[in-house]
Amino acid sequence: MVSSTSAALQSPVATPAGADIRIEQVSHQFDGPAGPLPVVDGVSLNIRPGEFVALLGPSGCGKSTLLRLVAGLEPPSAGQILHDGVPVTRPDPSRIVVFQDPTLFPWRTVRDNVALGPQARGTLAALQPRVEAALKLVGLQDFAKAFPHQLSGGMAQRVALARAIVNDPSLLVLDEPLGKLDSLTRLTMQTELLALWQRQGFSALLVTHDVEEAFFLAQRVIVLSDRPSRIVAELVNEAPYPRHRGDPRLAELRHQALAHLGLDASW
């Protein structure tokens, strides 16, 4: 675990330096063999600077598609997305996506994987101190010369997070980033992700299928319907940080989310 995590979680959230994201009546569809396949239908959502928002919904409902639209990886079929008032039309280093798979280059060391963005932009010489700071922030400064095959799953995902934050993003887009980790490593990484968010002050938009994870991390949880996804509930989580998983407030929010998803019968 990152040694500074506990201290970071005890401190207040950093002064918000994050993005103001406005999703305005966004719809999206794909061309399928039987014709257009709607996946997102009229979604409107604001993410305030420095806010942590999570998306919950059934598998295949369009959550990851919505993340791709926010990141600028493809344009929406209808509606618009604004980043600090400017329409999102393409990817940008200020909006970084962290996927479920760390997608590290096996022939590059940990340090070189983290430095990939600055190197691609020709700014590595100026940003080398930021690379070292990012490694330290995720507790991997002693593994800078290691290669991906020498890392555990949790360590590899820390490299992916360091590679993201070295770009100093104002929005971190998280597409099930902890989904492939074992349960104990996942709990540890949730705490470390919170520490990064609190220290850096970026806005965060998370997709997860883990209801408990959503409420442990996020300030607001948006529940989406089956495809095409529509917002069916917005649950505000006012539990203070650091949070405790046994907090009855989190249990009640989890029950509400499961009710909206039709899965509350056994809770």
Side-chain angles (χ1 to χ4, degrees), residues 3 19 62 81 90 92 104 106 138 148 210:
S3 59
I81 299 171
R90 62 183 184 274
D92 189 90
L104 305 180
V138 299
D210 187 325

Side-chain angles (χ1 to χ4, degrees), residues 154-231:
M155 293 170 72
Q157 200 56 275
R158 287 187 205 171
V159 177
L161 288 169
R163 184 176 58 191
I165 63 176
V166 78
N167 296 289
D168 197 21
S170 57
L171 175 68
L172 205 57
V173 179
L174 302 156
D175 192 359
E176 282 277 4
L178 311 181
K180 289 187 176 180
L181 302 179
D182 66 86
S183 59
L184 293 180
T185 303
R186 185 167 186 157
L187 295 180
T188 299
M189 287 297 298
Q190 288 170 4
T191 304
E192 294 182 1
L193 180 56
L194 271 182
L196 287 175
W197 167 65
Q198 290 186 301
R199 291 185 64 172
Q200 301 298 106
F202 49 74
S203 303
L205 180 60
L206 166 74
V207 157
T208 179
H209 290 96
D210 187 325
V211 179
E212 182 179 280
E213 178 173 271
F215 288 107
F216 182 72
L217 294 174
Q219 296 167 303
R220 277 192 299 149
V221 174
I222 308 301
V223 183
L224 300 174
S225 68
D226 280 312
R227 188 181 69 240
S229 60
R230 304 177 182 90
I231 294 177

Side-chain angles (χ1 to χ4, degrees), residues 24-29 69 75-80:
E24 299 181 343
Q25 286 296 309
V26 162
S27 297
H28 197 61
Q29 62 184 29
L69 300 178
S77 302
Q80 66 174 349

Side-chain angles (χ1 to χ4, degrees), residues 66-96:
L66 187 56
L67 288 195
R68 291 178 60 82
L69 300 178
V70 170
L73 297 176
E74 54 188 289
S77 302
Q80 66 174 349
I81 299 171
L82 304 175
H83 179 163
D84 294 338
V86 178
V88 172
T89 58
R90 62 183 184 274
D92 189 90
S94 63
R95 297 182 302 274
I96 298 294

